[in-house]
Amino acid sequence: MKKTLVLLAALAAALGWAYALRSGAFTPKGKIIKRTRFMMNTLCTIQVPNDLGARATGAAIERAFDRMAELDKKFSVTNPESAVYKFNHDRAPITDPDVAAVAGTALEVSRATGGAFDITVQPLVDLWGFYTTSASSQAVPSPEKIKAALAKTGWRRIILKDGRVTAADPEVRLDLGGIAKGYILGEGAKALKAAGVKSALLLTGGQVQSFGTAAPGLPWKVGLRNPRNDGYVASLPFDSEMGVATAGDYERYFEAGGVRYHHILDPKTGYPARKTMSVSVITPDPAWADALDTALFVLGPERALAFARERGLDVIVIDAAGKIQTSRENPARNKK
Ligand code: ADP
Ligand code: MG
C-alpha cells in the first residue's frame, strides 16, 4: 500500500493534480466472469475468476446481487416499505437486524469522528433537495430553515438497545445514505463467499471491495479515476480483503451564484462541507470505509489526515484547492 500511495503522490505531482477521485477497476481479460446490475441508484458490477465454472459463478453472482438488492430496499429513505421510511414517517422502531447493524456502526463512526458523521442529517438533506434529481427543488435554503432543520438533528438522540433502534424524540429522522452502500457491498462479498467463491471484485459508484486475487499471483487492480475525462490516474493492487471508498463534491450537487453546493453536509453548520474536494479511504471493512469517507470529507484535510495517522488508516485527500495529500509519509520524497 505504501508503494501505491507513493505512486499516487508521484503521479499527482506529475499531473499537477486537478482531479477528483473515483474508483474503477482494471482486470485481466478472459478468465473473469463479470455481471452488472443497476441498484443503489448506480451500476454495480461483480467480477469473479471463472474457477467454479461459468454456471456456478454466474449463479453465485446473481445470489449476491439479490441479497444486495434486498438490502438496498431496506435502507431506502423514499420507499414506503423500508424500515427507514417507516421509522421516519410512522415512528416505527427499527428491529430489522441489517438496518440495526448499520445504525450501530454509524453511531460508532459518529463517536469516533466527533459527530462529523451523523445519520440524523435527513431533515437537512431533504431541505437542500438532495433526495430528488429535479433541479427546481435544489436551492440554497434560508438560514432560518437551516437552523430549524439543524434543531431536528443529533446522533446522540438515537437509541440503540438490544438490536432495536428508537429515538429520544419524535423529530429524529434517519438517512443511512452515507454508509449503506459500504454495508451492502460487504454483504454482497459475504454472499459470494457463502456460494464458494474464493476471489471477487465488487464495484459501485464510488466504492470497491475485493477479496482474493484476479488470478494466482495477480492482484485485482483498482483504478482511481478522473471523473472529468474518465481516464485513470493511478491503480491500487489489492490481493486480499480490501476496499476503497471515495466521497466527492462532484457526485450530487448544484451551483448557485458560482458556488458548488453538494450533498455532504457538515452536521454542525447545516451547510455542505467546504474544505475538501474528495476523500478516499482504503481499509478492509466496507461499511467503515463508506462512513469514514463522508466523515473525513466533513472534517477537512488537516483533521482527516490526523485521524487517519492516529489509526493507521490509508487515506487520500484532495483539498478544496485540488492539492492531494496522503496519510502516510512519502519515502520517495524524503530521499531527495
Ligand atoms: P455516495 O457515494 O452515495 O454519494 P457518500 O458516502 O458520499 O455517498 O455519502 C453521501 C450521503 O450521505 C448523502 O447523500 C447523504 O444521504 C448522507 N450524508 C450527507 N452528509 C452526511 C453526514 N455528515 N453524515 C452522515 N451522512 C451524511
Ligand atoms: Mg460515505
Side-chain angles (χ1 to χ4, degrees):
M1 189 51 57
K2 223 175 217 166
K3 243 191 260 157
T4 308
L5 295 184
V6 172
L7 167 72
L8 253 175
L11 265 164
L15 292 170
W17 193 276
Y19 305 121
L21 298 179
R22 278 168 70 201
S23 315
F26 307 108
T27 42
K29 285 201 179 97
K31 297 200 170 119
I32 303 282
I33 295 193
K34 175 175 167 180
R35 297 225 177 149
T36 296
R37 205 190 276 190
F38 188 85
M39 64 176 89
M40 305 189 272
N41 281 323
T42 185
L43 279 180
C44 295
T45 301
I46 295 179
Q47 304 183 39
V48 174
N50 185 15
D51 298 331
L52 299 173
R55 242 176 106 167
T57 304
I61 294 175
E62 292 308 321
R63 212 169 311 153
F65 275 146
D66 289 346
R67 168 74 176 139
M68 292 165 73
E70 175 204 349
L71 290 170
D72 187 20
K73 271 193 209 141
K74 285 189 189 185
F75 295 125
S76 167
V77 184
T78 50
N79 179 351
E81 299 298 313
S82 85
V84 172
Y85 186 98
K86 287 176 184 161
F87 177 95
N88 287 349
H89 292 263
D90 310 330
R91 319 304 321 142
I94 292 173
T95 52
D96 181 280
D98 290 304
V99 185
V102 168
T105 305
L107 292 177
E108 282 178 49
V109 179
S110 297
R111 202 164 290 123
T113 60
F117 190 75
D118 188 337
I119 53 172
T120 66
V121 293
Q122 194 274 353
L124 286 164
V125 181
D126 194 27
L127 179 65
W128 281 91
F130 288 118
Y131 291 125
T132 64
T133 46
S134 99
S136 61
S137 70
Q138 296 178 343
V140 182
S142 70
E144 292 73 30
K145 282 196 172 155
I146 288 182
K147 215 173 145 195
L150 266 177
K152 297 179 185 169
T153 68
W155 63 274
R156 290 181 195 277
R157 292 147 97 180
I158 299 172
I159 301 163
L160 173 61
K161 212 173 165 240
D162 303 327
R164 210 175 122 98
V165 181
T166 54
D169 68 68
E171 299 211 296
V172 173
R173 303 274 182 280
L174 303 183
D175 172 355
L176 300 177
I179 183 170
K181 195 189 276 177
Y183 181 81
I184 291 172
L185 271 191
E187 290 300 301
K190 275 191 203 163
L192 290 169
K193 288 176 193 167
V197 170
K198 299 281 183 265
S199 315
L201 187 72
L202 299 90
L203 271 133
T204 66
Q207 188 158 358
V208 178
Q209 188 69 19
S210 80
F211 58 93
T213 55
L218 193 66
W220 295 107
K221 284 195 188 140
V222 175
L224 293 179
R225 203 167 76 189
N226 170 2
R228 309 284 199 272
N229 65 13
D230 276 349
Y232 288 89
V233 293
S235 82
L236 308 169
F238 288 169
D239 59 5
S240 58
E241 188 91 41
M242 193 49 77
V244 53
T246 300
D249 68 357
Y250 48 82
E251 281 167 50
R252 246 179 295 160
Y253 68 92
F254 63 89
E255 276 170 353
V259 178
R260 178 182 289 222
Y261 296 95
H262 59 78
H263 70 316
I264 300 173
L265 303 176
D266 183 339
K268 294 213 160 61
T269 65
Y271 286 82
R274 280 269 155 258
K275 293 180 179 162
T276 319
M277 192 186 282
S278 165
V279 177
S280 295
V281 178
I282 303 158
T283 192
D285 184 314
W288 271 86
D290 192 9
L292 280 178
D293 72 8
T294 308
L296 298 189
F297 189 105
V298 169
L299 287 179
E302 217 171 289
R303 292 173 67 195
L305 290 167
F307 179 95
R309 284 172 188 144
E310 223 165 79
R311 292 175 180 246
L313 259 184
D314 276 322
V315 166
I316 302 161
V317 187
I318 304 176
D319 69 16
K323 185 178 163 218
I324 182 173
Q325 282 170 278
T326 60
S327 56
R328 298 209 191 193
E329 281 300 314
N330 178 348
R333 198 175 293 160
N334 290 344
K335 271 187 209 145
K336 274 190 198 165

